[in-house]
């Protein structure tokens, strides 16, 4: 079964939003990242592989790294985990959520 990709991108804009600063190559300043909301579908085999890597990272207290839609994300070991269930319009959804404060 081939992986299917569904992409939703939300971009929030505001007239009062501060301008993004682009640090020089030698600067250690952090650049604010744009908001985004991406969903990507995976085959069962790919999804199971990602879950195994996540479980291994959790058990060893290490950060979890994953790439989603071209962006590499490092989830810190102290992240908060929850499971969400939704039911609406004859459909059900279970979401495994991982949340943390951006550094």
């Amino acid at each position: 079964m081939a992986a299917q990709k569904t992409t939703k991108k939300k971009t929030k804009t505001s007239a009062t939003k501060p301008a993004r600063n682009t640090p020089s190559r030698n600067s250690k300043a952090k650049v604010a990242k744009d908001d985004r909301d991406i969903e990507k579908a995976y085959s069962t085999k790919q999804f199971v592989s990602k879950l195994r890597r996540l479980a291994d990272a959790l058990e060893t207290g290490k950060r979890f790294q994953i790439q989603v839609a071209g962006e590499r994300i490092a989830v810190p070991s102290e992240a908060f985990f929850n499971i969400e269930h939704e039911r609406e319009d004859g459909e059900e959804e279970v979401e495994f959520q991982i949340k943390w404060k951006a550094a």
Side-chain angles (χ1 to χ4, degrees):
M1 178 174 163
Q4 296 176 343
K5 183 177 178 182
T6 304
T7 303
K8 293 189 305 184
K9 185 171 183 177
K10 293 181 186 175
T11 304
K12 297 178 184 177
T13 58
S14 170
T16 60
K17 187 175 180 179
R20 288 179 56 182
N21 294 327
T22 305
S24 69
R25 208 174 217 177
N26 297 327
S27 173
K28 293 200 181 209
K30 296 195 179 200
V31 175
K33 294 183 180 180
D34 290 335
D35 291 347
R36 75 181 209 159
D37 186 352
I38 303 289
E39 288 185 10
K40 184 167 181 192
Y42 293 96
S43 69
T44 300
K45 184 177 179 179
Q46 291 169 319
F47 186 67
V48 167
S49 174
K50 291 177 188 318
L51 286 176
R52 280 200 179 107
R53 288 191 315 101
L54 173 61
D56 290 345
L58 291 173
E59 287 179 336
T60 59
K62 295 180 180 175
R63 73 179 181 175
F64 173 67
Q65 291 190 332
I66 186 168
Q67 186 166 331
V68 179
E71 182 175 333
R72 178 148 306 278
I73 302 158
V75 179
S77 60
E78 63 275 358
F80 174 76
F81 303 89
N82 70 319
I83 300 172
E84 184 177 311
H85 174 246
E86 297 177 20
R87 181 181 301 125
E88 183 177 359
D89 299 328
E91 293 185 350
E92 297 201 39
E93 181 177 339
V94 173
E95 294 180 10
F96 293 82
Q97 296 184 346
I98 308 169
K99 296 181 182 183
W100 67 97
K101 293 285 185 187

